[in-house]
Amino acid sequence: MNMEEQNGSTGAGRREEAQPEEVCPGKKGKLDLEAAKARIAETKGPEFWRSLEELAGSEEFQQMMHREFPKGASEWLDSVSRRGFMKLMGASVALAGMTACTKQPLEPIVPYVKQPEEVIPGRPLFYATAFTFGGYATPLLVESHLFRPTKIEGNDKHPVSLGGTDVYAQASILEMYDPDRSQHIVHLGDFKSWSNFQHDLRGALDAQQSSHGAGIRILTGSFSSPALADQMHSFLAAYPAAKWHVYDAVSRDNVTAGAQMAFGKAVDAQYQLQNADVIVSLDADFLYAGFPGFTKYARDFARRRNPDAGSMSRLYVVESTPTSTGVKADHRLPVLASEVEPFARALASAVGAGASGGSLSGDQAKYLAALSRELQAHRGSSIVIAGPQQPAVVHALAHAINQQLGNVGKTVVYTDRVVATGEAGLLQDLVADMRGGKVQLLIIMGGNPVFNAPTDLNFADALKNTNIPFRVHLGLYQDETAELCHWHINEAHYLEAWGDTRAFDGTVSLVQPLIAPLYDGKSQYEFMASLLGQWQTSGHEVVQSYWQKQHPGADFEMFWRRSLHDGFIAGTAFAPVQVSAKTGGFPAASTSAAQGTEINLRPDPSIYDGCFANNGWLQELPKPLSKLTWDNCLWMGPAMAARMGIEKRDLVQVDFNGKSLKLPVWIQAGHPDNSVTVFFGYGRVRAGRVGTGTGFNVYPFRSTSVQWFGSGAKVTKVSGNYILASTQGYQTMDAGDESRPNVRTRTLDEYRKEPGFANADAPPPGLTLYPGYQWQYKNEPYEWGMTIDLNACVGCNNCIIACQSENNIAVVGKEQVNHGRHMHWLRVDAYYQGDRDNPRAYFQPVPCMQCENAPCELVCPVGATTHSTEGLNDMTYNRCVGTRYCSNNCPYKVRRFNFFLYTDWNTPQYKMMRNPDVTVRSRGVMEKCTYCVQRISEHRIDAERENRKIADTELQTACQQSCPANAIVFGNINDPNSQVTRLKKNQRNYGLLDDLNTRPRTTYLAEIRNPNPELEA
Ligand code: SF4
C-alpha cells in the first residue's frame, strides 16, 4: 500500500485537486455569510447554532439534521473510505506479519510458587505515578491488569491535581503502546546495542577531557525533575566548559521574562481562582490542557461558577483567537494579538499600576472602563492572567496590576520556578556554536528541533552540514531529528521508567514504571548516568539515591514507600516568596503601525507541537471549537471571509516571514477581523504510520523573533479546496420548539427572578399511554442517573479520551470521520448564540441519555437494545444484526455503528492495552455509552460480597472520573441522599429534548452567566 492510498486522497501533492465529498453541512453548497448575518439581525430571543451553515439555514443543513448519519455514511462498498481507514490498520497488518514470521522463543509456563500479594486475575491494581508535560507534572493513578497499564486516572489525593487529568495525560497510554515507537538503538542506519553506544560515547567523552568538555553541548526540553537536574549539574561540574541549552516549541520564555521584568527575578505565579470574584484573561487560555495548573484551575473556576453556592465569579477574556477560556467568558473582547499590550497598558494605567495608557478603539475603551471599575471594586479578590504568547511587558503589567489591586497573597502567589532549566542557554546560542565549529559532541535529549525549531535557525542544516563528529538523539520516535544524528537511542516511555517531577505548585511526584520497557528503551536518567561514567546505573538507582541524599534518616525506606504509594512527596510544595512588582519604567510601547493581516501561531489543541502526531486518539479528537479532526487549517473570522469571498475549505496562499504556504480555511465565528490563526504541529514527515503526512507544516512561519504572532501577512485566495473532516454539524439534534433549546441559559439576575426557567414546561412525571406498566425502580437497590453541569464544563475534551480509553473505542481515520462514522460514545457539542463576529458560546457533553422511554428499544427487531432493571439502556452486541433502526430513532444521535472492522485485532501492543472488562467490538454492531456498566458490575460484586450497598461517589464513570471541572456526576437516583439525586432536584436541572417524553436519565444543569450589567446593556 503506498502512502497516497494510506492517506486516502490527501497526499501533499494532490491537495489542491481534492474534491469535497457531499456529505455534511459545510461540505456542500455555498455558505451564505450575509444570510447568516441577516438571520442574526432578525433573531428575537435566544437562538443557538452549532455551525455557520446552521445559522444561515441552508438546505443542506436541514437535510442533514433529519439524518442520523451524513449522506454517504451508510454506503458500505466505498473503496476510498476503505483505503482511508486501512491506513490505521497498517500498523497491525505489518506487525501481524512480523509476528507470524517470527518463531517465538520456547518458554516454560509455570504457576506461581508463591502468589504475589494482591495480584488476582481480573482485579486491577492502581499505581501512583506522574506524566510530565512542558516540564510540569500531572499526578496520576494508573490502572494495571496483571502488570499491563490499561487506563490513566488523576491522583485524587494529590494536593493540586485533585483527580483531574487532561487529554494529553489520558492519551499517553496509547503512546506507550504505539507500535511505531522507536524500538532500537540505531547507528548510521544499523541496529546496535547499548554497550556499543556506551563504548563510542566513552571515546567521545575521553576526547573532551583535556578541554574540560568545551566541545560538548546538551539540548533538552524544560524539565522539573530534581534528580535529573542534579545529574545535569554533576555533569556540568565534571565538564565545566560544556554547555546546556533548552528549547521548547511551546515555550514559556515570555512568562519568565515578564516576571524578570516585573520583579527583577524569575518566579512562577500560582493563581487561586477559588478566591477570585473577577478574573481577567489577557490572551491566557488557562482553562485548556497545556497551561500549567490547568486541572486545578478548571476545578477552582467551576467551583466559583455555581449560582446555587455562594457568589459567582465573573470572567473577562481579551483574546486574539477563540479559545475554550473565551467560551466561558461572561464578557469576551476579540482583539488582534498586538492590541493586547495597549489594552494591558491602558488597564494598568486605569487602576493606577503605572504605564501610560495604550490607544484603544471605542468598543475596547468601553470594555476597559467597565472592567477597571470592576477591578477597583474587587481589590484583593480579582486576578489578571497573561497568556504565554503575549510579550514580556504584558506579563509585567499583569503582575503590576495584581499588586496594585492587593491581589498578591490572596488570589495570586509567587514561588520559585518549578522548571529546573533556568540557567540553560538558548537554542540560537547552540546553533551559533554549531556553525562556529565549536561542537564535537552534541546530545539531544528528547524534543524534535529539526521539525519545530524557528525557521531562521535552519537547525536541520546546522545539524547536517557543520561536521559535528558525534551527534546523539534520545527520543521516543525515530523522528526528523533522529534521522540527522549518528546515534539514535530509543527512549523508555514514562510508564516504563523511574523518575521524579514537580507539579506546578512544586510538589514532587515519584514516577514509577507500570511495565518493563517494551523495547528495552533507556530513560533520560540512565542516559545521563552513562554521560557521568556510571555505565551500569539504573534509573531506579539514580532516583532513589538522589532522594536518599535528601532524606538521609533511618526511615528512608518508609519515606520512599509512602511517597511511591501516595504519588507525591509530602511537604515539597514551594513556599510563597515575597516579591515586589515595579509599577513603572516599563519599556515604551511600539510606535510602528501594524501592516497587512496579523497572523497568530498557536499549538494545535489536539497534537500540541506535533509530539502527539502519531496518537490516533488525539488525531481523531474533535478540536474544542472547530470540531476538526486529523488536520490543521487557517482560521479566519466571518467578516474577513465574506470580504474576500472565501468559503470553508477554500485554499488560500499565506505569505509571511519570507515563506509562502497554501492552507485550507476554516471560518471560525468569533475570530477577530484582519487576523488569521494557524496551528502548528502538523505536516510531520517522520511521525509514524498514523501521523506522517497529516495536515500542513506551518513551522516555517515561526522565527526566533516571531514565535507567536506578527503583522504583515498576505492572505490571497487561490483556486482549489481541501477536504476537512470536522464533526461540527454532525449529530445535530432538532430541538423543534425554539423556546426549549438544547442549551438552556440565563443571566444570574434572570435566574434569580425565574429559577425554574430550565424545566418550567417539562412533561409531568409518569406521563404514559400505558399506566401501570412502569417498572417500579423503588423496589430495586439501584437506579442509575447522571447530571452534567453546563456551568462547570470547560470543553476540555478529556471525557472523550477517557471514555475512548476505558471502553476500547476504535479510531477510524480521516476518511471515515468525513463520512460521519467516528465512533466516540461521547461528544462535546459547541453551541453559539448571537453575533457571528463575537458570539456567546457554550459546551454541552452528550453521551447516551439512557432514556427511560427509550425510542431505540422499541424499534430493534432482534431485541439487542433493552432496558435493565437498574434503568440502563443496555446493548447486547451478539444480538445486533446491524439494521440501525435504533440509531435512526434516537433523537440524541448518540449511537455509533461499526461500518467496518475498525478495531485493530492484530497489533500485539494494542491487545495488551485494552480494558479486559469491556468487549472489543467487531464489524456490524451498534455501540454507545453504557454508563461504564463494567464499573457498575465490579462495584456491585464487591458490595454484595461485603453485604452492603454501593456507597455514593464510590463508583465513577470514566468520563466523570477524568473531568477536571467535576461537571459530571453519576450515581444512584434511588438514594435520596446521593449527590446525583440532589442535583436532579436542582432548579437548573432539565432534560434534553424532554418534550419528547423520552425521560432521559442523563440531565443537564442549565448554564448561568454572570454578566456585568454595565456591559450587558
Ligand atoms: S465534561 Fe468533559 S469537556 Fe466538560 S470539563 Fe468535564 S471533561 Fe472537560
Side-chain angles (χ1 to χ4, degrees):
M1 185 184 298
N2 64 32
M3 188 53 70
E4 282 191 353
E5 284 175 321
Q6 288 186 21
N7 281 339
S9 58
T10 62
R14 300 173 54 184
R15 280 181 176 134
E16 289 177 52
E17 285 75 40
Q19 292 305 307
E21 297 184 21
E22 299 174 355
V23 291
C24 182
K27 298 180 189 301
K28 176 185 175 185
K30 192 170 166 62
L31 167 61
D32 188 344
L33 286 165
E34 291 311 313
K37 195 174 176 184
R39 185 141 186 258
I40 296 165
E42 290 166 7
T43 298
K44 293 183 185 59
E47 181 169 271
F48 301 87
W49 36 279
R50 284 179 59 193
S51 63
L52 289 164
E53 290 76 11
E54 180 178 355
L55 183 61
S58 70
E59 188 190 329
E60 291 74 30
F61 173 76
Q62 295 303 328
Q63 287 175 9
M64 170 68 190
M65 190 162 60
H66 294 288
R67 301 178 68 100
E68 158 57 13
F69 295 105
K71 188 177 175 186
S74 53
E75 291 162 16
W76 288 65
L77 300 174
D78 181 338
S79 57
V80 174
S81 299
R82 205 178 156 72
R83 280 204 307 272
F85 92 83
M86 282 298 288
K87 170 190 173 185
L88 302 169
M89 301 294 288
S92 62
V93 172
L95 280 151
M98 202 170 76
T99 48
C101 298
T102 308
K103 191 173 187 312
Q104 298 294 318
L106 293 175
E107 293 176 60
I109 300 176
V110 293
Y112 289 119
V113 176
K114 192 174 169 195
Q115 173 92 14
E117 195 179 359
E118 295 185 344
V119 174
I120 301 166
R123 301 285 305 185
L125 294 172
F126 290 82
Y127 295 90
T129 187
F131 167 68
T132 306
F133 190 60
Y136 296 83
T138 302
L140 305 176
L141 287 180
V142 181
E143 184 174 6
S144 167
H145 281 92
L146 294 176
F147 305 111
R148 293 178 296 108
T150 55
K151 177 74 177 64
I152 302 277
E153 307 289 2
N155 184 346
D156 57 345
K157 300 286 185 301
H158 191 280
V160 295
S161 149
L162 307 174
T165 50
D166 61 43
V167 287
Y168 304 121
Q170 282 289 339
S172 65
I173 198 161
L174 182 64
E175 182 184 59
M176 195 207 81
Y177 286 110
D178 186 352
D180 288 352
R181 258 176 60 205
S182 175
Q183 304 189 11
H184 305 283
I185 294 172
V186 178
H187 179 234
L188 300 176
D190 291 334
F191 294 164
K192 294 284 179 180
S193 68
W194 178 236
S195 56
N196 291 151
F197 168 69
Q198 287 185 322
H199 174 270
D200 281 15
L201 178 66
R202 191 190 299 251
L205 288 170
D206 287 347
Q208 291 293 320
Q209 291 290 353
S210 57
S211 66
H212 306 291
I216 303 176
R217 298 292 182 276
I218 303 178
L219 177 64
T220 69
S222 289
F223 61 80
S224 58
S225 161
L228 193 60
D230 184 60
Q231 285 184 300
M232 186 64 77
H233 292 139
S234 299
F235 181 79
L236 295 174
Y239 296 90
K243 289 186 185 161
W244 169 33
H245 300 263
V246 166
Y247 175 68
D248 304 298
V250 183
S251 84
R252 292 181 57 79
D253 292 351
N254 288 339
V255 182
T256 309
Q260 187 77 40
M261 186 185 290
F263 306 116
K265 172 182 183 187
V267 291
D268 280 353
Q270 287 179 34
Y271 305 106
Q272 316 282 351
L273 268 58
Q274 71 278 19
N275 298 333
D277 295 324
V278 179
I279 303 165
V280 183
S281 157
L282 298 176
D283 231 357
D285 190 13
F286 61 87
L287 295 178
Y288 194 73
F291 197 96
F294 152 70
T295 54
K296 181 165 191 303
Y297 294 157
R299 189 151 302 188
D300 291 346
F301 175 77
R303 207 180 291 166
R304 287 298 309 276
R305 298 292 291 182
N306 184 348
D308 307 309
S311 64
M312 268 181 82
S313 62
R314 182 169 291 152
L315 175 62
Y316 293 82
V317 176
V318 179
E319 65 180 3
S320 57
T321 197
T323 65
S324 299
T325 306
V327 168
K328 300 308 291 184
D330 294 299
H331 295 286
R332 175 178 177 271
L333 181 67
V335 296
L336 298 181
S338 60
E339 291 175 333
V340 175
E341 182 186 327
F343 187 91
R345 288 178 185 273
L347 185 61
S349 170
V351 301
S356 52
S359 73
L360 305 180
S361 70
D363 284 351
Q364 293 169 0
K366 183 179 170 206
Y367 186 99
L368 180 117
L371 172 58
S372 60
R373 270 192 285 279
E374 180 108 75
L375 287 174
Q376 305 263 24
H378 289 89
R379 291 175 166 274
S381 63
S382 52
I383 299 183
V384 179
I385 306 173
Q389 63 274 9
Q390 282 299 320
V393 67
V394 175
H395 293 265
L397 288 163
H399 296 311
I401 296 169
N402 282 326
Q403 179 172 288
Q404 178 66 17
L405 293 171
N407 295 334
V408 179
K410 294 169 183 156
T411 58
V412 57
V413 295
Y414 296 102
T415 65
D416 289 332
R417 291 192 68 202
V418 166
V419 295
T421 47
E423 74 267 42
L426 301 173
L427 183 65
Q428 44 268 49
D429 300 332
L430 169 64
V431 173
D433 283 355
M434 289 161 74
R435 294 198 186 281
K438 296 179 184 169
V439 184
Q440 280 83 51
L441 171 53
L442 176 62
I443 294 154
I444 301 174
M445 236 168 47
N448 188 4
V450 168
F451 175 63
N452 61 26
T455 189
D456 54 324
L457 296 181
N458 201 347
F459 192 84
D461 174 71
L463 203 54
K464 252 188 319 191
N465 299 323
T466 52
N467 294 324
I468 301 169
F470 199 105
R471 306 188 294 261
V472 192
H473 175 255
L474 173 73
L476 289 174
Y477 290 87
Q478 287 193 40
D479 56 21
E480 293 84 346
T481 303
E483 187 187 19
L484 300 184
C485 289
H486 300 115
W487 282 93
H488 164 75
I489 313 299
N490 56 316
E491 187 177 354
H493 193 265
Y494 82 94
L495 290 170
E496 303 170 326
W498 287 93
D500 59 359
T501 178
R502 287 186 190 274
F504 82 106
D505 72 333
T507 301
V508 173
S509 283
L510 294 178
V511 179
Q512 59 176 323
L514 270 290
I515 192 170
L518 293 180
Y519 313 124
D520 201 21
K522 302 296 172 195
S523 71
Q524 296 197 352
Y525 302 86
E526 290 161 331
F527 189 87
M528 283 299 301
S530 286
L531 285 180
L532 288 162
Q534 299 156 2
W535 306 104
Q536 304 299 328
T537 304
S538 69
H540 178 257
E541 288 165 338
V542 171
V543 177
Q544 195 178 48
S545 65
Y546 172 82
W547 284 101
Q548 194 141 27
K549 276 184 252 161
Q550 314 307 310
H551 193 97
D555 64 341
F556 175 75
E557 190 61 22
M558 182 59 75
F559 158 84
W560 178 255
R561 285 180 176 274
R562 189 180 339 108
S563 303
L564 276 179
H565 172 270
D566 295 350
F568 60 93
I569 300 178
T572 46
F574 287 150
V577 294
Q578 299 304 317
V579 285
S580 177
K582 69 178 180 185
T583 51
F586 299 108
S590 165
T591 51
S592 60
Q595 308 262 321
T597 302
E598 196 160 282
I599 186 167
N600 295 319
L601 300 144
R602 297 285 184 272
D604 185 81
S606 296
I607 64 162
Y608 203 58
D609 63 359
C611 61
F612 291 113
N614 212 50
N615 193 308
W617 291 353
L618 290 170
Q619 284 274 14
E620 200 149 299
L621 179 67
K623 301 182 207 299
L625 295 174
S626 65
K627 305 298 170 192
L628 184 64
T629 64
W630 290 99
D631 257 308
N632 59 342
C633 59
L634 174 142
W635 275 10
M636 69 168 61
M640 186 170 172
R643 249 192 342 268
M644 295 180 68
I646 288 174
E647 293 183 43
K648 217 178 263 183
R649 296 181 294 104
D650 281 351
L651 285 172
V652 290
Q653 178 170 312
V654 184
D655 294 283
F656 180 67
N657 230 356
K659 306 286 178 197
S660 182
L661 292 172
K662 285 183 186 168
L663 299 167
V665 171
W666 184 265
I667 303 172
Q668 179 60 47
H671 197 288
D673 198 8
N674 295 322
S675 142
V676 295
T677 299
V678 293
F679 298 91
F680 51 81
Y682 277 93
R684 297 280 310 274
V685 293
R686 288 178 66 92
R689 277 164 286 201
V690 172
T692 295
T694 57
F696 301 82
N697 183 5
V698 299
Y699 273 114
F701 285 152
R702 290 187 105 201
S703 62
T704 42
S705 57
V706 182
Q707 294 264 326
W708 297 109
F709 63 88
S711 64
K714 187 168 160 231
V715 182
T716 318
K717 183 178 175 184
V718 294
S719 64
N721 47 37
Y722 176 81
I723 296 170
L724 291 171
S726 163
T727 64
Q728 188 190 54
Y730 287 173
Q731 292 113 29
T732 298
M733 296 173 285
D734 186 358
D737 180 357
E738 295 227 322
S739 68
R740 302 190 55 73
N742 297 332
V743 168
R744 296 183 197 165
T745 176
R746 289 289 187 276
T747 65
L748 187 56
D749 285 346
E750 290 167 345
Y751 173 57
R752 284 184 179 140
K753 284 182 201 142
E754 190 195 354
F757 79 95
N759 51 30
D761 49 359
L767 181 66
T768 175
L769 288 173
Y770 307 101
Y773 281 86
Q774 295 100 324
W775 189 258
Q776 296 301 309
Y777 287 103
K778 61 179 184 305
N779 298 329
E780 301 293 331
Y782 309 109
E783 183 185 2
W784 303 111
M786 178 181 277
T787 56
I788 301 176
D789 187 348
L790 300 186
N791 249 29
C793 174
V794 296
C796 69
N797 278 345
N798 202 22
C799 47
I800 298 178
I801 299 283
C803 173
Q804 186 157 27
S805 176
E806 170 75 14
N807 293 300
N808 302 329
I809 296 172
V811 169
V812 302
K814 174 178 173 178
E815 297 296 328
Q816 294 292 305
V817 173
N818 200 40
H819 280 292
R821 294 170 179 166
H822 51 286
M823 296 304 297
H824 294 139
W825 289 3
L826 166 62
R827 64 179 194 263
V828 178
D829 291 340
Y831 284 92
Y832 300 90
Q833 182 188 32
D835 181 3
R836 64 177 191 170
D837 297 318
N838 187 17
R840 291 191 194 112
Y842 306 88
F843 291 121
Q844 183 171 49
V846 185
C848 171
M849 296 289 128
Q850 310 284 348
C851 307
E852 186 50 34
N853 294 335
C856 54
E857 293 172 5
L858 304 174
V859 293
C860 178
V862 292
T865 183
T866 50
H867 224 68
S868 83
T869 54
E870 294 181 356
L872 263 61
N873 173 227
D874 286 341
M875 187 67 220
T876 310
Y877 299 128
N878 260 8
R879 295 187 68 97
C880 178
V881 292
T883 62
R884 291 166 284 134
Y885 295 163
C886 56
S887 180
N888 198 41
N889 221 33
C890 172
Y892 306 101
K893 304 185 181 179
V894 290
R895 291 178 157 256
R896 316 302 312 142
F897 185 67
N898 278 297
F899 281 93
F900 291 115
L901 183 59
Y902 295 123
T903 300
D904 178 342
W905 289 76
N906 297 315
T907 302
Q909 291 92 327
Y910 293 157
K911 290 182 186 173
M912 294 165 71
M913 178 184 71
R914 296 213 172 93
N915 183 354
D917 299 333
V918 176
T919 315
V920 180
R921 282 81 59 191
S922 184
R923 171 184 178 166
V925 294
M926 187 61 69
E927 50 184 79
K928 65 161 196 85
C929 158
T930 66
Y931 271 170
C932 290
V933 68
Q934 66 282 0
R935 294 188 176 201
I936 297 175
S937 296
E938 183 188 340
H939 283 83
R940 189 193 300 109
I941 292 166
D942 284 351
E944 283 175 1
R945 212 181 49 235
E946 294 160 16
N947 200 21
R948 61 174 177 85
K949 278 182 74 173
I950 300 172
D952 190 31
T953 70
E954 166 189 346
L955 164 60
Q956 293 190 312
T957 60
C959 54
Q960 175 189 17
Q961 191 163 4
S962 72
C963 177
N966 267 348
I968 301 173
V969 173
F970 171 79
N972 180 9
I973 51 181
N974 251 356
D975 174 358
N977 300 315
S978 69
Q979 202 184 351
V980 72
T981 304
R982 290 201 302 273
L983 288 172
K984 281 186 181 290
K985 288 181 185 155
N986 187 292
Q987 303 180 105
R988 289 189 288 136
N989 184 62
Y990 73 93
L992 198 55
L993 305 179
D994 58 358
D995 45 340
L996 300 177
N997 200 29
T998 50
R999 306 261 164 216
R1001 284 175 181 282
T1002 299
T1003 52
Y1004 293 87
L1005 300 186
E1007 180 143 355
I1008 305 299
R1009 295 167 45 249
N1010 183 21
N1012 181 344
E1014 189 180 342
L1015 283 173
E1016 192 78 345

